Amino acid sequence: MKKYAFLVYHKEYAGFLEKLREIGVVHVAERQGGTIDDDELRGNLQLLQRFKAATEILERHTDGENPLAQNPEMDGFQLLTEIETCVQEKEQLQTRRQSVDKDMDRMAPWGNFSWERIRQLEKAGLELRFFACNSSRFNPEWESQYNAIEVDCFNSTIYFVTVTPKGTDFELDADLLRLGAKTEAELQEEAKEIDAEILAIEDRLKQATSGYDALKKARAEVSERVDLRRVQLNTNVGAEDTVMILEGYCPEENEAALNKMLKKSGVYYMAEVPRKSDDAVPVKLKNNKFSSVFEFIGGLYELPNYHKSDMTPYFAPFYMLFFGFCFADVVYGVILAAVGIYFRKKVREELEPVMRLLTYLGITAFFMGILTGNVGGIALEKIETNWPWYEHLKHYILTADRLFYASLILGAVQIIFGQFVRAITRWKTDGFASTISTWGWLLLVVGGGSVFGLQKGGLLAPEIAKTASYVIFAVAGICIFLLNHPGHNILANIGEGIWDTYEKATGWLSDLLSYIRLFAICIAGAVLAIVFNSLATSLSGDTPVVSQIVMILILAFGHFINIFMAILASFVHPLRLTFVEFYKNAGFVGGGKSYKPFARYKEEFKIL
């Protein structure tokens, strides 16, 4: 990135911002103290949220197979008002419908009757009162005393009405009910009318989908207003309000195009390499075709600090291998890779890297399935044949005990690799002196381990190995305890070296044990697949045709569940190993801000 400072005459500033937006490569720096609180910005942000909600409503009402033809003359802002009116009317009707439903429930025990007939009885001097009580509390004497008539009995509740001369004063051990003015039949009719009105509103919303493009166009216009206002609010003013000062960052690959535009516009500007103390520099990841598909994995944690290294190319091969280790099955791997290949050309552009990632992970699972001998729940190691070549190949299959040690070896390799990455990346950014201690630890672990291995393998004489070990321990000790912070007090360095030794001893051990999860997930998936195969054969019975159908159903359901759980576990646990164990050992420094240039509106799509 290059940091730019633009100085523009105030009367030319609006035109300059338009040109800056058209070229779309400058990430505008936020002014110190943050963006100023502004009524215009706040209003446009609220309007943007309304457009977002309206767009989602239209998307829910769009017929995917037979969408309405778009009307280019429709006004997006008017359509927003129409959609919000529909939503408001629908909510009012739904509230009214709920009230009617409650009234119908209350009137259901009384059936259909005429309120007009009851009013005629009241004119004749009779009074009807409506009661409800538990059947155990109903007193049969009420029938003779107050002409109580049972109307309905539901769930041990008796609904009854009393008929007494008008003005008769009495109290019963029952609930006196106040019924609504409408009968059940009238309420049902009202409910039908409300449902019809809701359907009419739904139809209006479906018709509104013909203005979907217009709505998105209006949303883009508001979004550009928001961006422009933010840039204006992050502009400093100088020289008695006549000079506008704007700062921003531009990727080096776009520097030539930006400079050409600035020279053509006659704008005065300064460009420099961002200082290490500048934490506002945005991050634009640059990875090759293979590593770039893993950028979204790293994005689940956070972006790296601009002045530090991006860990994506370093963790990508390990993540793919760890996923394959957990998901190790030939059939499962083929299915996953097939899904990635099939949908790669069918999904939107933003999802294409995810499909490529699925393909890579599926291929890895396929080869790990061969190494572990798992083929759809069939253990190749258990198959007995008379083929000598097959019996010979079985010796190379990774059995459970081998998988256990393999998971620990992989963990050790990634931890050591992480220390190498830490040493090299810090050397580049902070100088060699800051990495002496790390090199000392690497010499101790890798050098000491190599000497031990060569001696055990008979490739190194014991005396030479002994001398080499002394040299390694001496050099590593000097790096760890004396040169860990060059220029500092020697006693302080020794103290920090002791503390670092304690941290390394406990941290590396716990990190290494954490990799056993790879072994556990692999074994769990394989065992579940075998169990489902066993259930399919034992529960399908002996009835011709039926037994085959039952077997297929059990296999399909069981393996579907197993694949779902295995994908979930194989995705999450390597994430944990990457973000906790590897990032810690590799010295990952986060806090980076995503590069978002001031440009024409482009619809964003977030995968997660």
Side-chain angles (χ1 to χ4, degrees), residues 3 32 88 172 237 240 294 320 381 411 549:
K3 184 176 183 179
Q32 289 186 348
Q88 188 177 10
L172 301 180
V237 181
E240 298 180 348
F294 293 87
M320 190 172 70
E381 186 193 15
I549 293 174

Side-chain angles (χ1 to χ4, degrees), residues 501-521:
T501 303
Y502 168 75
E503 284 192 324
K504 288 286 190 298
T506 56
W508 282 355
L509 179 61
S510 64
D511 289 347
L512 189 62
L513 293 178
S514 186
Y515 287 84
I516 294 176
R517 70 187 67 230
L518 299 175
F519 156 76
I521 296 168

Side-chain angles (χ1 to χ4, degrees), residues 21 61 89 92 179 190 214 218 231 261 315 317 322 376 400 405 414 435 437 452 459 472 522 544 546 555 586:
R21 194 206 309 253
H61 288 80
E89 291 176 0
Q92 291 174 348
L179 301 187
E190 185 178 354
V231 172
M261 186 276 285
F315 77 71
F322 292 166
Y405 293 117
Q414 194 185 36
T435 65
S437 176
F452 179 77
L459 300 175
I472 287 172
C522 176
V546 176
L555 287 174

Side-chain angles (χ1 to χ4, degrees), residues 24 33 82 100 128 208 234 240 244 257 289 302 411 444 556 563 590 598:
E82 165 66 9
V100 170
L128 274 71
N234 284 305
E240 298 180 348
M244 315 301 280
K289 191 173 182 181
E302 63 178 327
L444 182 67
I563 289 174
F598 176 53

Side-chain angles (χ1 to χ4, degrees), residues 329 332 374 376-379 382 523-537 555 559 562:
D329 190 289
Y332 291 1
N374 293 327
I378 300 172
K382 305 293 182 185
I523 293 296
V527 169
L528 277 176
I530 293 172
V531 168
F532 285 122
N533 286 351
S534 177
L535 286 174
T537 53
L555 287 174
H559 284 286
N562 195 30

Side-chain angles (χ1 to χ4, degrees), residues 96-260:
R96 194 173 143 207
R97 182 70 164 85
Q98 290 173 356
S99 177
V100 170
D101 287 342
K102 289 180 182 177
D103 288 343
M104 283 198 295
D105 291 340
R106 195 160 49 238
M107 294 298 293
W110 307 100
N112 287 317
F113 60 89
S114 170
W115 280 107
E116 182 61 27
R117 187 67 176 162
I118 290 176
R119 283 191 281 275
Q120 290 175 356
L121 291 171
E122 289 175 348
K123 287 180 181 177
L126 296 175
E127 184 177 7
L128 274 71
R129 300 182 192 180
F130 300 86
F131 292 92
C133 71
N134 190 280
S135 56
S136 61
R137 286 160 49 198
F138 185 79
N139 188 349
E141 293 181 358
W142 294 345
E143 295 177 359
S144 57
Q145 291 175 349
Y146 308 112
N147 295 318
I149 303 169
E150 180 179 332
V151 178
D152 195 7
C153 182
F154 181 72
N155 284 345
S156 303
T157 300
I158 291 180
Y159 297 87
F160 62 96
V161 61
T162 61
V163 183
T164 57
K166 196 171 184 179
T168 303
D169 187 19
F170 65 92
E171 289 187 2
L172 301 180
D173 185 18
D175 298 326
L176 178 62
L177 303 179
R178 300 293 180 187
L179 301 187
K182 295 180 180 178
T183 63
E184 185 183 16
E186 291 171 334
L187 289 169
Q188 288 175 345
E189 188 61 31
E190 185 178 354
K192 287 181 182 176
E193 292 174 2
I194 293 172
D195 290 343
E197 290 182 48
I198 291 175
L199 285 176
I201 291 175
E202 289 288 326
D203 189 56
R204 282 166 57 191
L205 287 172
K206 286 180 182 175
Q207 293 301 320
T209 58
S210 63
Y212 182 70
D213 287 349
L215 191 74
K216 290 179 69 175
K217 185 179 177 183
R219 178 181 172 180
E221 182 182 330
V222 176
S223 180
E224 290 188 349
R225 281 189 217 162
V226 170
D227 291 343
L228 179 61
R229 190 57 186 162
R230 278 182 172 147
V231 172
Q232 290 171 340
L233 292 173
N234 284 305
T235 303
N236 292 304
V237 181
E240 298 180 348
D241 297 345
T242 58
V243 176
M244 315 301 280
I245 306 168
L246 183 69
E247 292 184 337
Y249 301 90
C250 175
E252 292 176 355
E253 64 267 24
N254 302 120
E255 194 180 355
L258 177 62
N259 291 343
K260 184 179 178 183

Side-chain angles (χ1 to χ4, degrees), residues 43-52 77 80 222 225:
N44 280 324
L45 284 172
Q46 291 172 350
L47 184 57
L48 200 58
Q49 287 300 318
R50 289 168 57 196
F51 269 109
K52 183 181 177 184
F77 291 91
L80 173 66
V222 176
R225 281 189 217 162

